[in-house]
Amino acid sequence: MSELPQPSPGSRASGLISRSHLGIDPFELRLPETLADAAAAVANGSWAHAGGIDVAQRLRAGEVADELVPLCAPRRSAGAGLERLTEISLGERSLFIGAGVSHARIESDPLVQAHRPDVASAWRTIGNVRIRAAGTLGGNLAAFHPGYDAAPILAAAGAELVVAEPDGTEVRCAVADVPRDRLIVGCEIPLSGRVVYDRSLKPVVSVAVGEQAVAIGCAYAATHVIPHGAANPESVTAAVAALGDPIENAFASAAYRRRMISVLVDRCLRMHAEPPAPAGDDRMGVPATRPGSTREVATPDARSLEAAPPARSQDVQSPDAVSRDGTGSMAHVEMHLNGEPLAVAAPPSEMLVDTIRTRAGLGSTRVGCDQAVCGACTVLVDGTPTASCSTFAWQADGSEVLTIEAANRPASAGGRGDVESILPVVQGAFAERSAFQCGYCTPGLILVAAALLARHPEPDRAAICDWLDSNVCRCTGYLMVIEAVEAAAAAVRNSGDADLEDTP
């Protein structure tokens, strides 16, 4: 395994020079040995790092972190209490979800689907496939952003947050009362109840309605909780009428927000009175049934099920080693990039997109919006679409990373469901269907489409649109892209059928 050249002396102290590092000051990386160690660090001002997307954006916005503390037990210290952060478990009266659990896992976990399918459905609306795969419950809450989704959903569901004191002891608090200087361990959601969440008017307003509470996001400086719910709709209506003035900004006036709060609250109350929708499956944002579909997903009595083990690609990772060279800490990262071993010693602030573009010289991974929104920077980390502009390089330690250049490698022996085998098929379909013009966004679109087909060889159009939801294309038009993915799916299926026919 060879070491790639390190940054030149003229590079910024925070890492390689690129748009993804503008405004990010250097920071140290602290690998906690125990839950108490992580809690003490957060109490002393360190930032907890979960999925990391919010952390990257906060740093770009000018906030300064001297130290990040990954919320996942490093491989060298597993079993020291940190595994609780990536746990989903069933209690006598509540469901516990750890702070390090990804959005994608919350929406697909069998325990959540069996006991709080309403929470799984609400979580399915969060962000996009990349956000859901990397973002976590704790990261969403720890950003303390009034427009984020976890707080209103949990508040309306009657959940309590579990936070750790500096000595590691755990205490409970309401979602609206979580202190900023404490480590969020997870949340406990009552087994009974139902929440309906509507985020269709974000960033103007979002509303979650449960039996005993209504939570309003986006419209106030913090998530606003009304202590009345669908069990007493008249009290909800009166409380909404008595609300103080919402904030006023470039997104909406206070008057418009007030009107939309009433609209969404009324809508959610009506939806709450209707029978719940069917439970979902593991399609990372695709409901179990679609209009016209006959496919059903059974929901077992998960009281007898063990919590699903965390998928590696959906939970936060930590580097094996951090060393100091006199100019700050360096994270020693080892990964496989397009099948080839890659070892680097990178500053903790170095983004994965820079490792790929500058160190490995693979320029087809683009830097676009720098906010994990446009999809131009998409790569596959352990088969999962990942925003490399908002993922630190050390998060890919020990992972398999694929870029669009992998489509030009010799054919993989993995077979029909292998993403490397699917990549060239998708690339060919994009060329045949003229699903690109300038090509800037095309690598990200192809990679997401290949990941979709590796998981679901027969996606309907709704599933394709869901997975490509935030891969922005400004010149081609999305219909040709969708048709290209449909053609690739047919080609993958035909190839698999041909392989079966040739098998003796």
Side-chain angles (χ1 to χ4, degrees):
M1 187 176 296
S2 61
E3 288 275 338
L4 288 187
Q6 299 303 306
S8 65
S11 299
R12 287 172 55 95
S14 58
L16 302 173
I17 296 174
S18 79
R19 286 190 62 239
S20 64
H21 278 291
L22 291 180
I24 295 183
D25 291 326
F27 57 81
E28 300 296 329
L29 195 63
R30 175 172 178 172
L31 305 184
E33 296 289 345
T34 64
L35 185 64
D37 183 23
V42 172
N44 288 328
S46 299
W47 287 20
H49 179 283
I53 292 176
D54 292 319
V55 168
Q57 304 317 318
R58 290 170 62 191
L59 292 173
R60 291 194 183 105
E63 295 187 60
V64 176
D66 294 327
E67 187 175 70
L68 296 190
V69 181
L71 290 187
C72 175
R75 290 189 289 275
R76 58 187 173 84
S77 61
L82 291 163
E83 67 277 1
R84 181 157 165 75
L85 297 169
T86 54
E87 171 186 315
I88 297 180
S89 59
L90 186 63
E92 186 176 339
R93 297 182 179 179
S94 63
L95 187 67
F96 175 81
I97 302 177
V101 175
S102 69
H103 301 315
R105 191 174 154 215
I106 292 172
E107 70 175 75
S108 64
D109 187 87
L111 285 178
V112 182
Q113 289 194 13
H115 295 283
R116 289 305 302 256
D118 56 312
V119 172
S121 296
W123 235 270
R124 189 170 295 116
T125 67
I126 294 176
N128 56 64
V129 66
R130 294 182 305 278
I131 298 294
R132 292 195 294 271
T136 61
L137 180 146
N140 197 284
L141 291 170
F144 294 97
H145 193 294
Y148 285 0
D149 301 278
I153 295 173
L154 295 176
E160 285 188 316
L161 294 188
V162 180
V163 299
E165 296 294 330
D167 62 358
T169 58
E170 296 181 1
V171 297
R172 273 70 178 163
C173 67
V175 174
D177 297 331
V178 59
R180 291 175 178 263
D181 60 348
R182 291 294 184 267
L183 174 67
I184 300 173
V185 177
C187 70
E188 293 178 341
I189 306 174
L191 295 181
S192 61
R194 182 182 173 211
V195 63
V196 173
Y197 185 50
D198 191 329
R199 69 193 299 273
S200 60
L201 292 182
K202 286 187 66 177
V204 174
V205 64
S206 62
V207 167
V209 171
E211 277 79 1
Q212 305 300 326
V214 171
I216 301 169
C218 302
Y220 295 92
T223 299
H224 187 84
V225 180
I226 298 174
H228 305 286
N232 193 347
E234 293 82 6
S235 296
V236 173
T237 301
V240 169
L243 284 173
D245 287 336
I247 59 176
E248 186 161 356
N249 56 25
F251 293 117
S253 66
Y256 181 72
R257 275 197 167 94
R258 177 179 288 281
R259 172 58 181 155
M260 290 304 103
I261 290 171
S262 297
V263 169
L264 291 195
V265 168
D266 289 345
R267 182 189 298 174
C268 288
L269 287 171
R270 291 196 303 271
M271 292 175 64
H272 200 284
E274 298 172 355
D281 62 8
D282 67 346
R283 298 176 65 183
M284 290 180 67
V286 184
T289 56
R290 295 276 182 182
S293 170
T294 59
R295 180 171 178 268
E296 297 289 343
V297 175
T299 303
D301 179 5
R303 288 185 184 275
S304 61
L305 297 178
E306 294 293 334
R312 179 179 181 184
S313 63
Q314 293 183 352
D315 289 312
V316 183
Q317 299 189 25
S318 302
D320 275 334
V322 175
S323 64
R324 299 181 185 277
D325 62 358
T327 60
S329 63
M330 300 291 285
H332 292 269
V333 182
E334 296 183 2
M335 68 181 80
H336 276 79
L337 181 59
N338 297 333
E340 298 296 328
L342 173 64
V344 298
S349 58
E350 180 171 318
M351 295 295 175
L352 181 58
V353 67
D354 291 309
T355 304
I356 292 169
R357 288 179 59 86
T358 307
R359 295 183 185 272
L362 301 180
S364 293
T365 302
R366 321 291 193 187
V367 179
C369 68
D370 248 0
Q371 298 181 29
V373 172
C374 75
C377 72
T378 300
V379 298
L380 301 184
V381 177
D382 295 328
T384 299
T386 301
S388 64
C389 78
S390 298
T391 300
F392 297 111
W394 54 264
Q395 291 179 261
D397 180 51
S399 296
E400 298 282 342
V401 180
L402 294 180
T403 70
I404 193 61
E405 285 84 359
N408 299 321
R409 296 179 63 217
S412 168
R416 175 180 175 182
D418 182 75
V419 69
E420 290 189 67
S421 299
I422 294 171
L423 262 178
V425 178
V426 178
Q427 182 173 257
F430 268 64
E432 293 168 3
R433 298 283 173 154
S434 300
F436 61 91
Q437 286 187 32
C438 79
Y440 198 84
C441 67
T442 307
L445 286 164
I446 292 174
L447 287 162
V448 172
L452 167 63
L453 298 184
R455 285 176 179 259
H456 313 291
E458 301 183 32
D460 57 20
R461 183 163 287 195
I464 294 170
C465 291
D466 181 78
W467 273 64
L468 299 179
D469 178 54
S470 68
N471 282 73
V472 178
C473 175
R474 293 303 190 196
C475 55
T476 305
Y478 297 101
L479 180 59
M480 290 180 286
V481 172
I482 294 168
E483 291 175 343
V485 178
E486 291 173 334
V492 170
R493 290 195 299 270
N494 292 338
S495 174
D497 293 341
D499 290 343
L500 290 175
E501 293 174 1
D502 293 341
T503 302

